[in-house]
PDB file of all heavy atoms in Angstrom:
ATOM      1  N   LEU A   1       0.845  -1.185   0.000  1.00  0.00           N
ATOM      2  CA  LEU A   1       0.000   0.000   0.000  1.00  0.00           C
ATOM      3  C   LEU A   1       0.887   1.243   0.000  1.00  0.00           C
ATOM      4  O   LEU A   1       1.655   1.461   0.936  1.00  0.00           O
ATOM      5  CB  LEU A   1      -0.914   0.008   1.226  1.00  0.00           C
ATOM      6  CG  LEU A   1      -1.742   1.277   1.419  1.00  0.00           C
ATOM      7  CD1 LEU A   1      -2.736   1.457   0.275  1.00  0.00           C
ATOM      8  CD2 LEU A   1      -2.469   1.263   2.757  1.00  0.00           C
ATOM      9  N   VAL A   2       0.793   2.030  -1.053  1.00  0.00           N
ATOM     10  CA  VAL A   2       1.495   3.313  -1.133  1.00  0.00           C
ATOM     11  C   VAL A   2       0.588   4.349  -0.485  1.00  0.00           C
ATOM     12  O   VAL A   2      -0.470   4.672  -1.028  1.00  0.00           O
ATOM     13  CB  VAL A   2       1.806   3.690  -2.600  1.00  0.00           C
ATOM     14  CG1 VAL A   2       2.518   5.028  -2.650  1.00  0.00           C
ATOM     15  CG2 VAL A   2       2.647   2.607  -3.259  1.00  0.00           C
ATOM     16  N   PHE A   3       0.992   4.844   0.699  1.00  0.00           N
ATOM     17  CA  PHE A   3       0.092   5.752   1.399  1.00  0.00           C
ATOM     18  C   PHE A   3       0.574   7.206   1.392  1.00  0.00           C
ATOM     19  O   PHE A   3      -0.176   8.096   1.729  1.00  0.00           O
ATOM     20  CB  PHE A   3      -0.129   5.275   2.844  1.00  0.00           C
ATOM     21  CG  PHE A   3       1.104   5.250   3.704  1.00  0.00           C
ATOM     22  CD1 PHE A   3       1.505   6.380   4.417  1.00  0.00           C
ATOM     23  CD2 PHE A   3       1.882   4.102   3.788  1.00  0.00           C
ATOM     24  CE1 PHE A   3       2.632   6.349   5.215  1.00  0.00           C
ATOM     25  CE2 PHE A   3       3.006   4.067   4.589  1.00  0.00           C
ATOM     26  CZ  PHE A   3       3.405   5.187   5.297  1.00  0.00           C
ATOM     27  N   ARG A   4       1.837   7.450   0.993  1.00  0.00           N
ATOM     28  CA  ARG A   4       2.300   8.845   0.922  1.00  0.00           C
ATOM     29  C   ARG A   4       3.474   8.941  -0.043  1.00  0.00           C
ATOM     30  O   ARG A   4       4.334   8.051  -0.097  1.00  0.00           O
ATOM     31  CB  ARG A   4       2.708   9.350   2.318  1.00  0.00           C
ATOM     32  CG  ARG A   4       3.006  10.853   2.340  1.00  0.00           C
ATOM     33  CD  ARG A   4       3.117  11.397   3.752  1.00  0.00           C
ATOM     34  NE  ARG A   4       4.315  10.935   4.439  1.00  0.00           N
ATOM     35  CZ  ARG A   4       4.327  10.085   5.436  1.00  0.00           C
ATOM     36  NH1 ARG A   4       3.192   9.554   5.863  1.00  0.00           N
ATOM     37  NH2 ARG A   4       5.452   9.715   6.040  1.00  0.00           N
ATOM     38  N   ILE A   5       3.536  10.027  -0.796  1.00  0.00           N
ATOM     39  CA  ILE A   5       4.648  10.319  -1.710  1.00  0.00           C
ATOM     40  C   ILE A   5       5.127  11.734  -1.405  1.00  0.00           C
ATOM     41  O   ILE A   5       4.338  12.690  -1.443  1.00  0.00           O
ATOM     42  CB  ILE A   5       4.221  10.209  -3.181  1.00  0.00           C
ATOM     43  CG1 ILE A   5       3.746   8.784  -3.484  1.00  0.00           C
ATOM     44  CG2 ILE A   5       5.363  10.592  -4.107  1.00  0.00           C
ATOM     45  CD1 ILE A   5       3.183   8.606  -4.871  1.00  0.00           C
ATOM     46  N   GLU A   6       6.404  11.861  -1.099  1.00  0.00           N
ATOM     47  CA  GLU A   6       6.967  13.168  -0.732  1.00  0.00           C
ATOM     48  C   GLU A   6       8.026  13.580  -1.740  1.00  0.00           C
ATOM     49  O   GLU A   6       8.735  12.734  -2.299  1.00  0.00           O
ATOM     50  CB  GLU A   6       7.588  13.094   0.670  1.00  0.00           C
ATOM     51  CG  GLU A   6       6.574  12.820   1.777  1.00  0.00           C
ATOM     52  CD  GLU A   6       7.238  12.708   3.131  1.00  0.00           C
ATOM     53  OE1 GLU A   6       8.473  12.520   3.156  1.00  0.00           O
ATOM     54  OE2 GLU A   6       6.530  12.792   4.156  1.00  0.00           O
ATOM     55  N   GLU A   7       8.116  14.870  -1.934  1.00  0.00           N
ATOM     56  CA  GLU A   7       9.147  15.436  -2.815  1.00  0.00           C
ATOM     57  C   GLU A   7       9.927  16.471  -2.006  1.00  0.00           C
ATOM     58  O   GLU A   7       9.379  17.081  -1.076  1.00  0.00           O
ATOM     59  CB  GLU A   7       8.498  16.078  -4.036  1.00  0.00           C
ATOM     60  CG  GLU A   7       9.467  16.391  -5.154  1.00  0.00           C
ATOM     61  CD  GLU A   7       8.751  16.885  -6.402  1.00  0.00           C
ATOM     62  OE1 GLU A   7       7.555  17.244  -6.304  1.00  0.00           O
ATOM     63  OE2 GLU A   7       9.385  16.932  -7.456  1.00  0.00           O
ATOM     64  N   ALA A   8      11.189  16.664  -2.365  1.00  0.00           N
ATOM     65  CA  ALA A   8      12.033  17.619  -1.619  1.00  0.00           C
ATOM     66  C   ALA A   8      11.374  18.980  -1.582  1.00  0.00           C
ATOM     67  O   ALA A   8      11.314  19.650  -0.552  1.00  0.00           O
ATOM     68  CB  ALA A   8      13.421  17.694  -2.247  1.00  0.00           C
ATOM     69  N   ALA A   9      10.858  19.420  -2.718  1.00  0.00           N
ATOM     70  CA  ALA A   9      10.077  20.653  -2.757  1.00  0.00           C
ATOM     71  C   ALA A   9       8.644  20.291  -2.401  1.00  0.00           C
ATOM     72  O   ALA A   9       8.159  19.202  -2.733  1.00  0.00           O
ATOM     73  CB  ALA A   9      10.140  21.287  -4.144  1.00  0.00           C
ATOM     74  N   ALA A  10       7.953  21.150  -1.707  1.00  0.00           N
ATOM     75  CA  ALA A  10       6.596  20.844  -1.253  1.00  0.00           C
ATOM     76  C   ALA A  10       5.700  20.526  -2.443  1.00  0.00           C
ATOM     77  O   ALA A  10       5.697  21.239  -3.441  1.00  0.00           O
ATOM     78  CB  ALA A  10       6.024  22.033  -0.478  1.00  0.00           C
ATOM     79  N   LEU A  11       5.010  19.442  -2.341  1.00  0.00           N
ATOM     80  CA  LEU A  11       4.084  19.059  -3.407  1.00  0.00           C
ATOM     81  C   LEU A  11       2.891  20.003  -3.405  1.00  0.00           C
ATOM     82  O   LEU A  11       2.366  20.367  -2.364  1.00  0.00           O
ATOM     83  CB  LEU A  11       3.593  17.628  -3.173  1.00  0.00           C
ATOM     84  CG  LEU A  11       4.631  16.521  -3.343  1.00  0.00           C
ATOM     85  CD1 LEU A  11       4.007  15.189  -2.933  1.00  0.00           C
ATOM     86  CD2 LEU A  11       5.123  16.449  -4.759  1.00  0.00           C
ATOM     87  N   LYS A  12       2.510  20.381  -4.598  1.00  0.00           N
ATOM     88  CA  LYS A  12       1.339  21.239  -4.733  1.00  0.00           C
ATOM     89  C   LYS A  12       0.200  20.378  -5.277  1.00  0.00           C
ATOM     90  O   LYS A  12       0.143  20.085  -6.464  1.00  0.00           O
ATOM     91  CB  LYS A  12       1.636  22.422  -5.669  1.00  0.00           C
ATOM     92  CG  LYS A  12       2.697  23.361  -5.121  1.00  0.00           C
ATOM     93  CD  LYS A  12       2.805  24.590  -5.977  1.00  0.00           C
ATOM     94  CE  LYS A  12       3.848  25.554  -5.415  1.00  0.00           C
ATOM     95  NZ  LYS A  12       3.451  26.048  -4.089  1.00  0.00           N
ATOM     96  N   VAL A  13      -0.667  19.921  -4.372  1.00  0.00           N
ATOM     97  CA  VAL A  13      -1.793  19.081  -4.758  1.00  0.00           C
ATOM     98  C   VAL A  13      -2.861  19.948  -5.395  1.00  0.00           C
ATOM     99  O   VAL A  13      -3.241  21.003  -4.857  1.00  0.00           O
ATOM    100  CB  VAL A  13      -2.364  18.354  -3.522  1.00  0.00           C
ATOM    101  CG1 VAL A  13      -3.560  17.499  -3.914  1.00  0.00           C
ATOM    102  CG2 VAL A  13      -1.290  17.506  -2.885  1.00  0.00           C
ATOM    103  N   VAL A  14      -3.312  19.519  -6.563  1.00  0.00           N
ATOM    104  CA  VAL A  14      -4.341  20.276  -7.260  1.00  0.00           C
ATOM    105  C   VAL A  14      -5.657  20.148  -6.497  1.00  0.00           C
ATOM    106  O   VAL A  14      -6.138  19.043  -6.289  1.00  0.00           O
ATOM    107  CB  VAL A  14      -4.519  19.739  -8.703  1.00  0.00           C
ATOM    108  CG1 VAL A  14      -5.608  20.516  -9.434  1.00  0.00           C
ATOM    109  CG2 VAL A  14      -3.198  19.811  -9.446  1.00  0.00           C
ATOM    110  N   PRO A  15      -6.188  21.247  -6.039  1.00  0.00           N
ATOM    111  CA  PRO A  15      -7.433  21.140  -5.275  1.00  0.00           C
ATOM    112  C   PRO A  15      -8.588  20.682  -6.171  1.00  0.00           C
ATOM    113  O   PRO A  15      -8.641  21.028  -7.346  1.00  0.00           O
ATOM    114  CB  PRO A  15      -7.657  22.574  -4.765  1.00  0.00           C
ATOM    115  CG  PRO A  15      -6.928  23.444  -5.730  1.00  0.00           C
ATOM    116  CD  PRO A  15      -5.740  22.651  -6.192  1.00  0.00           C
ATOM    117  N   ARG A  16      -9.469  19.892  -5.595  1.00  0.00           N
ATOM    118  CA  ARG A  16     -10.638  19.427  -6.335  1.00  0.00           C
ATOM    119  C   ARG A  16     -11.892  19.843  -5.587  1.00  0.00           C
ATOM    120  O   ARG A  16     -11.854  20.037  -4.375  1.00  0.00           O
ATOM    121  CB  ARG A  16     -10.620  17.894  -6.478  1.00  0.00           C
ATOM    122  CG  ARG A  16      -9.477  17.379  -7.315  1.00  0.00           C
ATOM    123  CD  ARG A  16      -9.613  15.870  -7.499  1.00  0.00           C
ATOM    124  NE  ARG A  16      -9.462  15.164  -6.239  1.00  0.00           N
ATOM    125  CZ  ARG A  16      -9.604  13.852  -6.112  1.00  0.00           C
ATOM    126  NH1 ARG A  16      -9.916  13.131  -7.148  1.00  0.00           N
ATOM    127  NH2 ARG A  16      -9.448  13.271  -4.938  1.00  0.00           N
ATOM    128  N   PRO A  17     -13.007  19.976  -6.296  1.00  0.00           N
ATOM    129  CA  PRO A  17     -14.254  20.313  -5.609  1.00  0.00           C
ATOM    130  C   PRO A  17     -14.575  19.263  -4.544  1.00  0.00           C
ATOM    131  O   PRO A  17     -14.204  18.094  -4.672  1.00  0.00           O
ATOM    132  CB  PRO A  17     -15.296  20.308  -6.745  1.00  0.00           C
ATOM    133  CG  PRO A  17     -14.513  20.511  -7.999  1.00  0.00           C
ATOM    134  CD  PRO A  17     -13.165  19.901  -7.755  1.00  0.00           C
ATOM    135  N   ALA A  18     -15.268  19.692  -3.507  1.00  0.00           N
ATOM    136  CA  ALA A  18     -15.568  18.795  -2.395  1.00  0.00           C
ATOM    137  C   ALA A  18     -16.364  17.570  -2.853  1.00  0.00           C
ATOM    138  O   ALA A  18     -16.104  16.445  -2.426  1.00  0.00           O
ATOM    139  CB  ALA A  18     -16.350  19.551  -1.315  1.00  0.00           C
ATOM    140  N   LEU A  19     -17.346  17.765  -3.761  1.00  0.00           N
ATOM    141  CA  LEU A  19     -18.154  16.643  -4.234  1.00  0.00           C
ATOM    142  C   LEU A  19     -17.296  15.645  -4.988  1.00  0.00           C
ATOM    143  O   LEU A  19     -17.383  14.429  -4.767  1.00  0.00           O
ATOM    144  CB  LEU A  19     -19.304  17.144  -5.114  1.00  0.00           C
ATOM    145  CG  LEU A  19     -20.205  16.059  -5.724  1.00  0.00           C
ATOM    146  CD1 LEU A  19     -20.859  15.257  -4.605  1.00  0.00           C
ATOM    147  CD2 LEU A  19     -21.260  16.691  -6.639  1.00  0.00           C
ATOM    148  N   ALA A  20     -16.446  16.151  -5.895  1.00  0.00           N
ATOM    149  CA  ALA A  20     -15.597  15.244  -6.667  1.00  0.00           C
ATOM    150  C   ALA A  20     -14.635  14.494  -5.764  1.00  0.00           C
ATOM    151  O   ALA A  20     -14.387  13.295  -5.935  1.00  0.00           O
ATOM    152  CB  ALA A  20     -14.841  16.030  -7.729  1.00  0.00           C
ATOM    153  N   SER A  21     -14.095  15.187  -4.766  1.00  0.00           N
ATOM    154  CA  SER A  21     -13.184  14.537  -3.842  1.00  0.00           C
ATOM    155  C   SER A  21     -13.902  13.458  -3.031  1.00  0.00           C
ATOM    156  O   SER A  21     -13.371  12.364  -2.815  1.00  0.00           O
ATOM    157  CB  SER A  21     -12.573  15.581  -2.896  1.00  0.00           C
ATOM    158  OG  SER A  21     -11.716  14.970  -1.970  1.00  0.00           O
ATOM    159  N   GLY A  22     -15.132  13.755  -2.584  1.00  0.00           N
ATOM    160  CA  GLY A  22     -15.885  12.770  -1.822  1.00  0.00           C
ATOM    161  C   GLY A  22     -16.239  11.545  -2.648  1.00  0.00           C
ATOM    162  O   GLY A  22     -16.153  10.415  -2.173  1.00  0.00           O
ATOM    163  N   LEU A  23     -16.621  11.766  -3.913  1.00  0.00           N
ATOM    164  CA  LEU A  23     -16.952  10.644  -4.779  1.00  0.00           C
ATOM    165  C   LEU A  23     -15.734   9.786  -5.057  1.00  0.00           C
ATOM    166  O   LEU A  23     -15.817   8.547  -5.061  1.00  0.00           O
ATOM    167  CB  LEU A  23     -17.555  11.155  -6.093  1.00  0.00           C
ATOM    168  CG  LEU A  23     -18.954  11.779  -5.993  1.00  0.00           C
ATOM    169  CD1 LEU A  23     -19.393  12.316  -7.340  1.00  0.00           C
ATOM    170  CD2 LEU A  23     -19.960  10.747  -5.483  1.00  0.00           C
ATOM    171  N   ALA A  24     -14.585  10.437  -5.290  1.00  0.00           N
ATOM    172  CA  ALA A  24     -13.364   9.674  -5.529  1.00  0.00           C
ATOM    173  C   ALA A  24     -12.984   8.851  -4.296  1.00  0.00           C
ATOM    174  O   ALA A  24     -12.566   7.699  -4.402  1.00  0.00           O
ATOM    175  CB  ALA A  24     -12.231  10.629  -5.915  1.00  0.00           C
ATOM    176  N   SER A  25     -13.145   9.448  -3.124  1.00  0.00           N
ATOM    177  CA  SER A  25     -12.830   8.736  -1.893  1.00  0.00           C
ATOM    178  C   SER A  25     -13.773   7.544  -1.687  1.00  0.00           C
ATOM    179  O   SER A  25     -13.348   6.457  -1.308  1.00  0.00           O
ATOM    180  CB  SER A  25     -12.927   9.692  -0.707  1.00  0.00           C
ATOM    181  OG  SER A  25     -12.727   9.013   0.507  1.00  0.00           O
ATOM    182  N   ALA A  26     -15.067   7.763  -1.966  1.00  0.00           N
ATOM    183  CA  ALA A  26     -16.036   6.672  -1.816  1.00  0.00           C
ATOM    184  C   ALA A  26     -15.752   5.547  -2.815  1.00  0.00           C
ATOM    185  O   ALA A  26     -15.863   4.363  -2.486  1.00  0.00           O
ATOM    186  CB  ALA A  26     -17.456   7.203  -1.998  1.00  0.00           C
ATOM    187  N   TRP A  27     -15.383   5.908  -4.040  1.00  0.00           N
ATOM    188  CA  TRP A  27     -15.059   4.894  -5.054  1.00  0.00           C
ATOM    189  C   TRP A  27     -13.830   4.087  -4.631  1.00  0.00           C
ATOM    190  O   TRP A  27     -13.789   2.864  -4.817  1.00  0.00           O
ATOM    191  CB  TRP A  27     -14.851   5.570  -6.396  1.00  0.00           C
ATOM    192  CG  TRP A  27     -14.388   4.646  -7.492  1.00  0.00           C
ATOM    193  CD1 TRP A  27     -13.209   4.677  -8.154  1.00  0.00           C
ATOM    194  CD2 TRP A  27     -15.118   3.544  -8.040  1.00  0.00           C
ATOM    195  NE1 TRP A  27     -13.131   3.672  -9.075  1.00  0.00           N
ATOM    196  CE2 TRP A  27     -14.298   2.953  -9.040  1.00  0.00           C
ATOM    197  CE3 TRP A  27     -16.374   2.995  -7.782  1.00  0.00           C
ATOM    198  CZ2 TRP A  27     -14.699   1.850  -9.767  1.00  0.00           C
ATOM    199  CZ3 TRP A  27     -16.775   1.886  -8.522  1.00  0.00           C
ATOM    200  CH2 TRP A  27     -15.944   1.329  -9.492  1.00  0.00           C
ATOM    201  N   PHE A  28     -12.864   4.771  -4.055  1.00  0.00           N
ATOM    202  CA  PHE A  28     -11.666   4.072  -3.575  1.00  0.00           C
ATOM    203  C   PHE A  28     -12.048   3.090  -2.459  1.00  0.00           C
ATOM    204  O   PHE A  28     -11.581   1.938  -2.446  1.00  0.00           O
ATOM    205  CB  PHE A  28     -10.643   5.089  -3.071  1.00  0.00           C
ATOM    206  CG  PHE A  28      -9.390   4.469  -2.515  1.00  0.00           C
ATOM    207  CD1 PHE A  28      -8.345   4.098  -3.354  1.00  0.00           C
ATOM    208  CD2 PHE A  28      -9.261   4.238  -1.154  1.00  0.00           C
ATOM    209  CE1 PHE A  28      -7.201   3.515  -2.845  1.00  0.00           C
ATOM    210  CE2 PHE A  28      -8.123   3.643  -0.636  1.00  0.00           C
ATOM    211  CZ  PHE A  28      -7.088   3.290  -1.492  1.00  0.00           C
ATOM    212  N   ASP A  29     -12.893   3.541  -1.517  1.00  0.00           N
ATOM    213  CA  ASP A  29     -13.310   2.666  -0.423  1.00  0.00           C
ATOM    214  C   ASP A  29     -14.141   1.495  -0.935  1.00  0.00           C
ATOM    215  O   ASP A  29     -14.048   0.380  -0.405  1.00  0.00           O
ATOM    216  CB  ASP A  29     -14.118   3.456   0.606  1.00  0.00           C
ATOM    217  CG  ASP A  29     -13.233   4.358   1.453  1.00  0.00           C
ATOM    218  OD1 ASP A  29     -12.005   4.194   1.393  1.00  0.00           O
ATOM    219  OD2 ASP A  29     -13.775   5.230   2.161  1.00  0.00           O
ATOM    220  N   LEU A  30     -14.950   1.749  -1.969  1.00  0.00           N
ATOM    221  CA  LEU A  30     -15.758   0.670  -2.529  1.00  0.00           C
ATOM    222  C   LEU A  30     -14.886  -0.417  -3.138  1.00  0.00           C
ATOM    223  O   LEU A  30     -15.109  -1.610  -2.925  1.00  0.00           O
ATOM    224  CB  LEU A  30     -16.716   1.237  -3.577  1.00  0.00           C
ATOM    225  CG  LEU A  30     -17.698   0.253  -4.217  1.00  0.00           C
ATOM    226  CD1 LEU A  30     -18.634  -0.314  -3.159  1.00  0.00           C
ATOM    227  CD2 LEU A  30     -18.502   0.927  -5.323  1.00  0.00           C
ATOM    228  N   ARG A  31     -13.872  -0.015  -3.874  1.00  0.00           N
ATOM    229  CA  ARG A  31     -12.955  -1.007  -4.451  1.00  0.00           C
ATOM    230  C   ARG A  31     -12.189  -1.741  -3.360  1.00  0.00           C
ATOM    231  O   ARG A  31     -11.967  -2.961  -3.450  1.00  0.00           O
ATOM    232  CB  ARG A  31     -11.998  -0.326  -5.422  1.00  0.00           C
ATOM    233  CG  ARG A  31     -12.650   0.136  -6.714  1.00  0.00           C
ATOM    234  CD  ARG A  31     -11.626   0.742  -7.638  1.00  0.00           C
ATOM    235  NE  ARG A  31     -11.029   1.927  -7.023  1.00  0.00           N
ATOM    236  CZ  ARG A  31      -9.940   2.541  -7.499  1.00  0.00           C
ATOM    237  NH1 ARG A  31      -9.316   2.060  -8.553  1.00  0.00           N
ATOM    238  NH2 ARG A  31      -9.479   3.615  -6.904  1.00  0.00           N
ATOM    239  N   ALA A  32     -11.786  -1.004  -2.320  1.00  0.00           N
ATOM    240  CA  ALA A  32     -11.070  -1.640  -1.217  1.00  0.00           C
ATOM    241  C   ALA A  32     -11.966  -2.654  -0.503  1.00  0.00           C
ATOM    242  O   ALA A  32     -11.514  -3.740  -0.115  1.00  0.00           O
ATOM    243  CB  ALA A  32     -10.569  -0.582  -0.233  1.00  0.00           C
ATOM    244  N   ALA A  33     -13.254  -2.315  -0.344  1.00  0.00           N
ATOM    245  CA  ALA A  33     -14.179  -3.243   0.297  1.00  0.00           C
ATOM    246  C   ALA A  33     -14.366  -4.504  -0.545  1.00  0.00           C
ATOM    247  O   ALA A  33     -14.418  -5.621  -0.020  1.00  0.00           O
ATOM    248  CB  ALA A  33     -15.536  -2.561   0.528  1.00  0.00           C
ATOM    249  N   ALA A  34     -14.476  -4.327  -1.870  1.00  0.00           N
ATOM    250  CA  ALA A  34     -14.624  -5.487  -2.751  1.00  0.00           C
ATOM    251  C   ALA A  34     -13.399  -6.391  -2.673  1.00  0.00           C
ATOM    252  O   ALA A  34     -13.516  -7.621  -2.610  1.00  0.00           O
ATOM    253  CB  ALA A  34     -14.868  -5.027  -4.183  1.00  0.00           C
ATOM    254  N   ARG A  35     -12.201  -5.793  -2.666  1.00  0.00           N
ATOM    255  CA  ARG A  35     -10.990  -6.605  -2.573  1.00  0.00           C
ATOM    256  C   ARG A  35     -10.911  -7.329  -1.229  1.00  0.00           C
ATOM    257  O   ARG A  35     -10.468  -8.479  -1.144  1.00  0.00           O
ATOM    258  CB  ARG A  35      -9.759  -5.714  -2.772  1.00  0.00           C
ATOM    259  CG  ARG A  35      -9.564  -5.253  -4.203  1.00  0.00           C
ATOM    260  CD  ARG A  35      -8.185  -4.644  -4.383  1.00  0.00           C
ATOM    261  NE  ARG A  35      -8.023  -3.421  -3.603  1.00  0.00           N
ATOM    262  CZ  ARG A  35      -8.270  -2.201  -4.072  1.00  0.00           C
ATOM    263  NH1 ARG A  35      -8.700  -2.044  -5.315  1.00  0.00           N
ATOM    264  NH2 ARG A  35      -8.098  -1.146  -3.310  1.00  0.00           N
ATOM    265  N   ALA A  36     -11.360  -6.652  -0.165  1.00  0.00           N
ATOM    266  CA  ALA A  36     -11.333  -7.279   1.156  1.00  0.00           C
ATOM    267  C   ALA A  36     -12.273  -8.490   1.207  1.00  0.00           C
ATOM    268  O   ALA A  36     -11.952  -9.501   1.837  1.00  0.00           O
ATOM    269  CB  ALA A  36     -11.733  -6.263   2.228  1.00  0.00           C
ATOM    270  N   LEU A  37     -13.422  -8.405   0.548  1.00  0.00           N
ATOM    271  CA  LEU A  37     -14.346  -9.531   0.541  1.00  0.00           C
ATOM    272  C   LEU A  37     -13.811 -10.689  -0.291  1.00  0.00           C
ATOM    273  O   LEU A  37     -14.029 -11.859   0.039  1.00  0.00           O
ATOM    274  CB  LEU A  37     -15.712  -9.085   0.001  1.00  0.00           C
ATOM    275  CG  LEU A  37     -16.482  -8.082   0.868  1.00  0.00           C
ATOM    276  CD1 LEU A  37     -17.765  -7.654   0.183  1.00  0.00           C
ATOM    277  CD2 LEU A  37     -16.790  -8.682   2.233  1.00  0.00           C
ATOM    278  N   VAL A  38     -13.115 -10.375  -1.374  1.00  0.00           N
ATOM    279  CA  VAL A  38     -12.539 -11.426  -2.208  1.00  0.00           C
ATOM    280  C   VAL A  38     -11.454 -12.182  -1.449  1.00  0.00           C
ATOM    281  O   VAL A  38     -11.271 -13.389  -1.623  1.00  0.00           O
ATOM    282  CB  VAL A  38     -11.988 -10.827  -3.517  1.00  0.00           C
ATOM    283  CG1 VAL A  38     -11.177 -11.855  -4.299  1.00  0.00           C
ATOM    284  CG2 VAL A  38     -13.130 -10.303  -4.369  1.00  0.00           C
ATOM    285  N   ARG A  39     -10.746 -11.485  -0.555  1.00  0.00           N
ATOM    286  CA  ARG A  39      -9.660 -12.128   0.187  1.00  0.00           C
ATOM    287  C   ARG A  39     -10.172 -13.132   1.224  1.00  0.00           C
ATOM    288  O   ARG A  39      -9.415 -13.971   1.696  1.00  0.00           O
ATOM    289  CB  ARG A  39      -8.795 -11.063   0.895  1.00  0.00           C
ATOM    290  CG  ARG A  39      -7.941 -10.244  -0.040  1.00  0.00           C
ATOM    291  CD  ARG A  39      -6.829  -9.552   0.735  1.00  0.00           C
ATOM    292  NE  ARG A  39      -7.342  -8.646   1.749  1.00  0.00           N
ATOM    293  CZ  ARG A  39      -7.602  -7.367   1.553  1.00  0.00           C
ATOM    294  NH1 ARG A  39      -7.405  -6.829   0.360  1.00  0.00           N
ATOM    295  NH2 ARG A  39      -8.059  -6.607   2.534  1.00  0.00           N
ATOM    296  N   VAL A  40     -11.446 -13.009   1.618  1.00  0.00           N
ATOM    297  CA  VAL A  40     -12.021 -13.945   2.601  1.00  0.00           C
ATOM    298  C   VAL A  40     -13.276 -14.581   1.996  1.00  0.00           C
ATOM    299  O   VAL A  40     -14.405 -14.283   2.406  1.00  0.00           O
ATOM    300  CB  VAL A  40     -12.340 -13.230   3.930  1.00  0.00           C
ATOM    301  CG1 VAL A  40     -11.100 -13.006   4.742  1.00  0.00           C
ATOM    302  CG2 VAL A  40     -13.069 -11.907   3.682  1.00  0.00           C
ATOM    303  N   PRO A  41     -13.130 -15.459   1.013  1.00  0.00           N
ATOM    304  CA  PRO A  41     -14.310 -16.019   0.318  1.00  0.00           C
ATOM    305  C   PRO A  41     -15.217 -16.832   1.230  1.00  0.00           C
ATOM    306  O   PRO A  41     -16.425 -16.882   0.997  1.00  0.00           O
ATOM    307  CB  PRO A  41     -13.676 -16.893  -0.783  1.00  0.00           C
ATOM    308  CG  PRO A  41     -12.305 -17.198  -0.286  1.00  0.00           C
ATOM    309  CD  PRO A  41     -11.866 -15.990   0.488  1.00  0.00           C
TER     310      PRO A  41
END
């Protein structure tokens, strides 16, 4: 699991609208949940 990427110069994360960010986060959690269920058939 890659949980953080750092650069010597401060990374400038492109801000996203709150709705788009929430949907992306939910989609990520949904895929993670599906993978977790597959691991315990």
Side-chain angles (χ1 to χ4, degrees):
L1 174 64
V2 179
F3 63 88
R4 188 168 70 250
I5 299 175
E6 295 178 343
E7 194 174 15
L11 291 174
K12 295 188 179 296
V13 179
V14 179
R16 295 185 294 176
L19 178 61
S21 178
L23 290 177
S25 176
W27 175 244
F28 178 84
D29 286 348
L30 183 63
R31 289 182 298 168
R35 287 193 295 268
L37 294 176
V38 170
R39 289 198 299 270
V40 282

